[in-house]
Amino acid sequence: MRWAVAETGDGGVRLCPLTQDGRPAGPVVCEPSLTEAVRSRPEVARWVWRSTAEIYRRLLAAGVRVERCYDVEAAEALLIGHEEGQSGQPRSLAAAWARLHGLPVPQDAPARAAETQPSLFEPGPVPLPPGTDEFTALLEVYAGQVARTAKAEHPERMRLLLASESAGMLVAAEMARTGVPWRADVHREVLDELLGERYPGGLEPRRMAELADEVSRAFGEGIRVRPDLPHDIIRAFARAGIALTSTRKWELQQIDHPAVAPLLAYKSLYRLYTAHGWSWLQQWVHEGRFRAEYLPGSTVSGRWTTNGGGALQIPKVIRQAVRADPGWRLVVADADQMEPRVLAAVSRDRGLMEVAGSGRDLYADLAARAFGGDRDQAKLALLGAIYGQTSGDALKHMADLRRRYPAAVAYVDDAARAGEEGRLVRTWMGRTCPPASMTTPDEAGLPQEDEAPTGYGSSSAARARGRFTRNFVVQGSAADWALLMLAALRQSMARARLRAELVFFQHDEVIVHCPAEEAGTVSEAIATAADSAGRIAFGPTPVRFPFTTAVVECYAEAK
């Protein structure tokens, strides 16, 4: 049974049960408190509400957890993208209600600044038109979304996508509440060792200052160069007769000059100092936890980002500070070759599905069958097919890959062709790429053109979009699978009544913090959740989704 719930202006809530088509299945009930309304109804299988990020955070603060939910605003974002190819359009309840009634659609509220401490005044939702009851609007929008989902290209897959996206919202809120176990003292020791003493007045730490002096001396006596200013570096090298187009690492490494080594060392420490230095530690780590605000589905491919804190870019050296509590462990699990396995499942290529179901190392198995045992060449060819790398060695092996696994290569080729022609593509479950009129996203990890395209009509823009859509159908489907894996893992741990807690998720990696005696059970639960997600997402296929799992006390020990 599912229930709809919405808050009233006086702090109370209105709620009622729902039918399968989203209509009220009973009388509307009024309760004085959201917390008590939800806590007193443990039998409710799924709560339908406006926004998990806003509502569930308050429930968690009161010690109330729910098993499932349906996030109307997350669903609206997916449905409007699927129906009209307009990813990124307003997704609020007010926007969805306006679309339903043919009214002007209000813009979403501006992105909220990252918060590391509780705020006295929480920003409110986008307001509905005067005189419009929120609970009535919620019921109308939800019923409309149920009907719209039934009209999707693949309704069952779309229902699954909406459910998994909402499940991801629950996981994100719970991880933000729990936080990553973090030893501030260890973090400070790392910074002191690498950066040296801190100087007052905002000056650079000792080691960075020493490297900056080395860079300047390398250009000659009396010359002062600011290594944190790219234009300063480019001018200094120009005076030395060396032309640079940027200060990127790969370009600097091609130069034979005494300034290069200290400059690269400085840049590495500068990134550490600015992104995860003492100021970051003071701002983000409290009471032994780093609590990031995760934003599920915030990229077009469905991958997550965070609102400040850089949780998805923790440097290896700083991972030393991520340590389990005494008597607890970190179960760190990485999906093995996730995207090639997803390609096998969505393309239904019999040969590639067989490879993806034969063992843990897909590239080694592929090499044994098609590339004379050369694992590196097999990996290069398969990733080249996914990412659109069609030059050099990748192109040389593409013909063999196309001959042996025609359905898999055709699947991404068709997606690339659709992108070049300005058409839309979808993930297996129905997440839809942005239209050609939007700037080609770079978040898919694609190689970008040196010259930024000025519009879709240029051939470079068409090729760039083709590379994006080629990868989108695989990476996006992998992101959808990962949501199902997270949901299954969360449910498994809850039903087993484990003390284990999900604390981190990034694309193809998950970390669970648990008592040492639960580590084995958690490892098994992750493997089971991965296989379950594969069956639910893609149906019965030979493809397997193994994880490499490490049980450690410190995150840095896992890799």
Side-chain angles (χ1 to χ4, degrees):
M1 179 182 293
R2 61 185 61 194
W3 281 59
V5 61
E7 296 175 281
T8 58
D10 58 2
V13 295
R14 299 173 68 195
L15 61 163
C16 75
L18 299 170
T19 63
Q20 288 295 321
D21 62 358
R23 307 294 175 180
V28 175
V29 180
C30 296
E31 297 278 7
S33 161
L34 171 68
T35 300
E36 289 307 315
V38 175
R39 179 184 284 137
S40 63
R41 292 172 174 83
E43 74 282 0
V44 174
R46 191 183 302 275
W47 288 97
V48 176
W49 53 40
R50 175 175 46 81
S51 168
T52 304
E54 297 176 18
I55 295 173
Y56 195 42
R57 181 169 55 170
R58 298 201 298 278
L59 289 172
L60 288 173
V64 178
R65 293 199 174 205
V66 302
E67 185 173 354
R68 295 184 181 91
C69 78
Y70 179 99
D71 188 311
V72 164
E73 295 189 353
E76 185 67 16
L78 292 169
L79 286 169
I80 196 68
H82 186 279
E83 295 161 344
E84 302 180 20
Q86 293 298 316
S87 300
Q89 292 300 304
R91 54 186 286 171
S92 68
L93 177 64
W97 189 86
R99 288 190 189 98
L100 193 62
H101 291 271
L103 299 174
V105 176
Q107 293 299 309
D108 286 343
R112 179 173 54 82
E115 296 176 2
T116 55
Q117 296 291 338
S119 176
L120 181 60
F121 299 104
E122 294 289 343
V126 178
L128 289 155
T132 305
D133 176 68
E134 180 171 326
F135 187 66
T136 301
L138 178 71
L139 293 177
E140 290 184 6
V141 167
Y142 175 63
Q145 289 182 344
V146 171
R148 291 158 64 191
T149 303
K151 298 177 182 177
E153 183 177 3
H154 299 285
E156 288 303 319
R157 295 185 198 173
M158 195 66 192
R159 290 187 189 97
L160 188 59
L161 178 61
L162 299 185
S164 62
E165 191 88 333
S166 292
M169 297 288 178
L170 293 176
V171 171
E174 290 170 359
M175 289 199 306
R177 177 75 183 176
T178 302
V180 179
W182 203 282
R183 287 278 300 277
D185 58 331
V186 174
H187 191 141
R188 292 191 189 94
E189 289 173 5
V190 171
L191 295 178
D192 290 343
E193 178 183 352
L194 295 178
L195 299 176
E197 299 94 319
R198 300 172 67 185
Y199 294 143
L203 297 176
E204 291 179 334
R206 175 181 56 80
R207 182 57 185 147
M208 288 178 61
E210 292 172 350
L211 288 169
D213 288 341
E214 286 186 49
V215 171
S216 293
R217 286 197 300 271
F219 287 107
E221 291 296 328
I223 295 178
R224 185 64 184 170
V225 178
R226 287 277 303 275
D228 58 326
L229 300 179
H231 63 271
D232 242 28
I233 295 297
I234 291 174
R235 280 205 302 263
F237 276 110
R239 287 194 296 267
I242 300 172
L244 289 178
T245 61
S246 72
T247 59
R248 294 187 178 94
K249 181 179 180 180
W250 66 268
E251 189 169 355
L252 290 171
Q253 287 175 328
Q254 300 178 46
I255 299 171
D256 182 13
H257 190 278
V260 170
L263 177 58
L264 291 175
Y266 177 94
K267 286 166 67 69
S268 177
L269 293 184
Y270 181 80
R271 286 192 296 271
L272 175 64
Y273 175 58
T274 55
H276 289 91
W278 293 282
S279 296
W280 180 93
L281 182 61
Q282 182 178 13
Q283 180 181 7
W284 286 98
V285 178
H286 304 282
E287 300 176 347
R289 292 291 186 272
F290 165 41
R291 294 180 174 86
E293 181 184 359
Y294 296 90
L295 304 176
S298 52
T299 65
V300 295
S301 67
R303 283 187 169 185
W304 293 18
T305 60
T306 58
N307 185 14
L312 305 186
Q313 296 88 31
I314 301 175
K316 290 185 178 180
V317 67
I318 294 298
R319 292 176 186 175
Q320 299 175 53
V322 182
R323 303 201 176 188
D325 293 342
W328 286 52
R329 296 292 184 271
L330 299 173
V331 181
V332 183
D334 276 294
D336 297 321
Q337 300 116 13
M338 178 175 68
E339 291 183 4
R341 294 176 188 277
V342 167
L343 173 58
V346 298
S347 68
R348 295 305 203 252
D349 187 293
R350 292 185 179 181
L352 192 56
M353 284 196 295
E354 182 181 349
V355 174
S358 60
R360 182 173 294 276
D361 191 339
L362 180 148
Y363 299 128
D365 291 342
L366 182 65
R369 298 164 189 254
F371 292 90
D374 191 328
R375 183 184 184 279
D376 290 340
Q377 293 297 340
K379 180 178 180 180
L380 183 66
L382 190 51
L383 293 183
I386 295 174
Y387 286 94
Q389 296 168 355
T390 55
S391 60
D393 290 339
L395 179 61
K396 186 168 58 179
H397 296 289
M398 181 63 76
D400 192 23
L401 195 69
R402 195 183 305 277
R403 185 178 67 256
R404 291 178 179 270
Y405 307 107
V409 177
Y411 192 87
V412 289
D413 281 349
D414 290 346
R417 190 176 304 109
E420 291 178 4
E421 295 172 356
R423 294 183 282 122
L424 299 175
V425 298
R426 307 189 198 281
T427 67
W428 178 260
M429 287 164 56
R431 193 184 301 269
T432 306
C433 75
S437 58
M438 295 179 64
T439 303
T440 302
D442 62 3
E443 54 86 16
L446 303 175
Q448 298 297 300
E449 300 283 344
D450 289 337
E451 180 182 353
T454 57
Y456 174 73
S458 65
S459 59
S460 63
R463 290 193 300 271
R465 180 172 167 78
R467 290 195 303 273
F468 166 69
T469 52
R470 170 187 291 272
N471 181 248
F472 178 89
V473 295
V474 180
Q475 188 185 88
S477 296
D480 296 343
W481 167 86
L483 285 174
L484 290 171
M485 183 275 297
L486 282 177
L489 176 59
R490 173 182 180 266
Q491 187 178 71
S492 174
M493 294 193 306
R495 289 182 175 176
R497 298 186 180 279
L498 301 181
R499 296 167 64 197
E501 50 196 21
L502 272 162
V503 296
F504 182 80
F505 168 66
Q506 175 185 244
H507 311 328
D508 57 359
E509 180 183 17
V510 63
I511 301 179
V512 178
H513 186 224
C514 66
E517 62 272 16
E518 292 182 1
T521 303
V522 168
S523 297
E524 292 176 4
I526 292 172
T528 301
D531 282 339
S532 175
R535 289 192 302 273
I536 294 171
F538 309 120
T541 73
V543 179
R544 294 294 171 262
F545 295 89
F547 273 80
T548 296
T549 303
V551 179
V552 296
E553 295 186 39
C554 172
Y555 186 20
E557 298 170 0
K559 299 183 178 182

